[in-house]
Amino acid sequence: MTNGQQLATSEKIKQGIVFAVAKLIQILPLIGLTMIHSGQSVASYMPYILFYTALKTGLLFVNSLGHVQNSFKITSISMLLAAGALLLLAISPWLYLTDMAAFILGASASVIMPTYEGVYYHERVVWKWHLMGTEIKTLLAFSLITVGLLTIASHFSYRLVFIVIMLFVLIGFIGMQRFEPFVKQLDESVFVEQTKSLNNLELFVWATAMAFALRYLRLFEAKFVWLLITVAVIGLVALILRVIITRGTKTKMPGWLLVAALINGAFETFLMLYIFVAIQNQSLMIGAYVTYGAGMILAQVIRKSVQGRFSKLSDLKVQLLGFVAGAWLMITPHLILLGILLISFFGSANSILLNHRAYYTGVTTPAQTLFIKYRNTYLGSILMQFILITGLMGLAVMRQQDITAVIAQISGSVAMSDTTSQLIHLAGLISVGLLTVIAGLAGRYLPAVDENPLI
């Protein structure tokens, strides 16, 4: 297929299907993992905790192996690992296998979206095309059919839910294998030689320890968790100081891009944490995840027209404004779904803007610059977890509330009292206030940036 030639209809359908898988693989498993709790024990919640942990750090592990050169191969491997993990979750009678599968699924999902962005942009630069018409209709139809099947399956068994998601991933994998040969980068190695990074491997270890401890702390009070958080914080600070001393504070990528990526991760993680902490109704929680997925897909379709209505503001400033509005709506009674929709929509729009800018930085391979951008988004996510969870626990101590009782109520093992509900709302108010200040400063000092087309 020559440069600039229009895609055939069959090619457009394949693009829409694979795009749906890449965008929703981080969201759909939450439906099954929310259902998997057979009790309120640590073992019952462990798959959920491990999935979320790996979702934020799996990309860091791949990043430690070297600079990504062939994003097609890594996406394909990750999809197969995700499908295998989903099959294990569906059939395994053993908890340790379920835990392992949940971690592998999270790590695979962590990698699929960034690496498929590399595949997608590689195609766009050669073909001069972007998602339109048939691709978007296919994306929406495939997503809606999958959500419909998941809704039906959720009335029977979480195992059936995982089977549906596995088929969803496998269809995407098969579609991607039928892409044009040049997309597969057949002559390119997976990683750039001599770019392995022990610093990134160490970052993966400390970040995984931190993410796991924070997820665990949301559900269960334990002394070892506080110890693990302390060790992880010391390890991360030591790593940062060592890098600053040996390399300095200058980055090869634009500083504003890395800051915007951190903010993106912080707002989206506030959304996820507040859903889990504040919502005890399982149906509403599943509805929240579906709303989040809908916002991601809508951003692919109407973001330019929505942002165009704010002609006096740059796209980046509009997105920061959308983040703030969504966060305040989320902590307003009865408006949580609207807030989720806004944060998801503008989060996805912001990710697209940053991806376009990162792709042309020329720091290393285009796929690797996308990795660096997503890595900062995930690190912003972990930082937000630390702020919200430790802040919530600190508020409980200040108000002389029993931390163990508060965590038990948050995890759903005990009906939430009015006192705990007020505590969560107060923590939400403080967090949103902090995020508003950060977004306001970013909007004031970061450059006015609009989404540029890929050429």
Side-chain angles (χ1 to χ4, degrees):
M1 187 170 292
T2 58
N3 187 9
Q5 184 175 335
Q6 291 292 319
L7 297 179
T9 300
S10 61
E11 200 72 32
K12 293 178 180 179
I13 291 173
K14 285 183 284 186
Q15 296 291 343
I17 288 174
V18 180
F19 218 96
V21 174
K23 287 294 181 183
L24 297 182
I25 186 57
Q26 295 191 358
I27 305 301
L28 296 183
L30 295 173
I31 296 174
L33 292 167
T34 299
M35 296 173 61
I36 206 171
H37 307 154
S38 57
Q40 304 305 329
S41 65
V42 174
S44 172
Y45 275 101
M46 195 55 70
Y48 187 95
I49 295 170
L50 290 172
F51 173 80
Y52 246 137
T53 298
L55 193 61
K56 299 305 178 186
T57 64
L59 184 68
L60 303 180
F61 176 76
V62 174
N63 199 197
S64 72
L65 301 177
H67 289 194
V68 174
Q69 188 167 14
N70 191 327
S71 51
F72 183 91
K73 287 182 181 178
I74 296 181
T75 308
S76 300
I77 293 168
S78 298
M79 282 187 173
L80 283 178
L81 285 173
L86 286 161
L87 179 61
L88 266 180
L89 284 167
I91 66 175
S92 173
W94 299 292
L95 287 177
Y96 71 90
L97 277 181
T98 301
D99 294 342
M100 181 180 69
F103 189 85
I104 293 172
L105 177 60
S108 301
S110 177
V111 175
I112 287 171
M113 185 186 294
T115 52
Y116 183 65
E117 293 285 2
V119 175
Y120 170 55
Y121 290 151
H122 178 64
E123 294 175 296
R124 284 188 60 174
V125 170
V126 174
W127 280 339
K128 311 292 184 189
W129 70 278
H130 56 90
L131 285 176
M132 292 183 68
T134 303
E135 301 97 308
I136 292 172
K137 290 176 183 177
T138 302
L139 185 156
L140 291 173
F142 187 49
S143 300
L144 289 173
I145 290 171
T146 302
V147 171
L149 291 173
L150 288 174
T151 302
I152 296 171
S154 66
H155 290 289
F156 295 93
S157 165
Y158 72 83
R159 297 184 184 278
L160 191 55
V161 167
F162 289 128
I163 289 292
V164 172
I165 302 173
M166 182 190 71
L167 293 175
F168 172 77
V169 173
L170 285 176
I171 291 172
F173 172 79
I174 293 170
M176 198 171 75
Q177 302 311 304
R178 298 177 66 83
F179 282 178
E180 292 292 318
F182 89 89
V183 180
K184 301 176 183 180
Q185 301 169 270
L186 298 174
D187 297 327
E188 299 285 349
S189 60
V190 176
F191 297 108
V192 178
E193 292 183 4
Q194 299 178 338
T195 57
K196 289 185 178 180
S197 171
L198 290 177
N199 282 339
N200 282 331
L201 182 59
E202 185 179 346
L203 178 62
F204 165 73
V205 172
W206 296 129
T208 299
M210 174 69 79
F212 174 81
L214 290 171
R215 297 290 175 184
Y216 193 100
L217 186 60
R218 275 165 45 190
L219 298 167
F220 306 101
E221 166 67 6
K223 290 182 179 180
F224 89 88
V225 177
W226 292 106
L227 177 61
L228 187 57
I229 289 175
T230 303
V231 171
V233 168
I234 293 172
L236 285 169
V237 170
L239 173 62
I240 292 169
L241 290 176
R242 190 171 72 246
V243 170
I244 291 175
I245 292 170
T246 57
R247 298 185 180 180
T249 57
K250 291 184 178 180
T251 61
K252 294 180 180 179
M253 290 185 70
W256 70 263
L257 192 151
L258 300 179
V259 170
L262 283 167
I263 292 173
N264 186 314
F267 271 99
E268 293 196 347
T269 295
F270 170 77
L271 178 155
M272 287 297 184
L273 285 174
Y274 200 74
I275 288 174
F276 194 86
V277 169
I279 298 178
Q280 287 196 309
N281 182 295
Q282 189 180 79
S283 297
L284 181 57
M285 187 176 288
I286 291 174
Y289 292 138
V290 171
T291 302
Y292 181 80
M296 292 177 66
I297 291 175
L298 283 174
Q300 302 293 329
V301 184
I302 62 172
R303 71 179 184 284
K304 289 185 178 180
S305 60
V306 170
Q307 291 172 166
R309 295 181 180 275
F310 299 86
S311 57
K312 294 183 179 180
L313 295 175
S314 69
D315 288 348
L316 180 59
K317 287 179 170 57
V318 171
Q319 291 158 5
L320 292 172
L321 185 63
F323 280 145
V324 171
W328 284 106
L329 287 172
M330 272 199 67
I331 61 173
T332 303
H334 310 302
L335 294 177
I336 187 170
L337 292 182
L338 179 58
I340 289 169
L341 185 66
L342 278 179
I343 293 178
S344 174
F345 177 87
F346 284 105
S348 186
N350 184 248
S351 185
I352 293 168
L353 181 152
L354 299 181
N355 284 347
H356 284 201
R357 292 287 177 157
Y359 196 76
Y360 284 120
T361 58
V363 174
T364 176
T365 65
Q368 178 64 17
T369 58
L370 292 173
F371 254 51
I372 294 171
K373 173 262 170 178
Y374 273 100
R375 182 186 68 188
N376 271 56
T377 300
Y378 292 164
L379 291 176
S381 172
I382 294 172
L383 179 61
M384 186 66 230
Q385 291 179 54
F386 180 76
I387 291 171
L388 184 58
I389 297 303
T390 56
L392 182 63
M393 298 303 101
L395 281 173
V397 172
M398 289 173 61
R399 298 180 67 168
Q400 298 182 331
Q401 290 182 250
D402 183 352
I403 296 179
T404 303
V406 170
I407 291 177
Q409 291 172 43
I410 290 173
S411 71
S413 57
V414 178
M416 189 174 291
S417 67
D418 290 339
T419 305
T420 299
S421 181
Q422 292 169 5
L423 180 70
I424 292 171
H425 189 66
L426 178 59
L429 282 171
I430 294 172
S431 299
V432 172
L434 177 62
L435 288 172
T436 300
V437 171
I438 293 172
L441 290 172
R444 172 68 177 82
Y445 292 106
L446 294 185
V449 181
D450 290 314
E451 181 183 330
N452 63 332
L454 290 176
I455 54 176

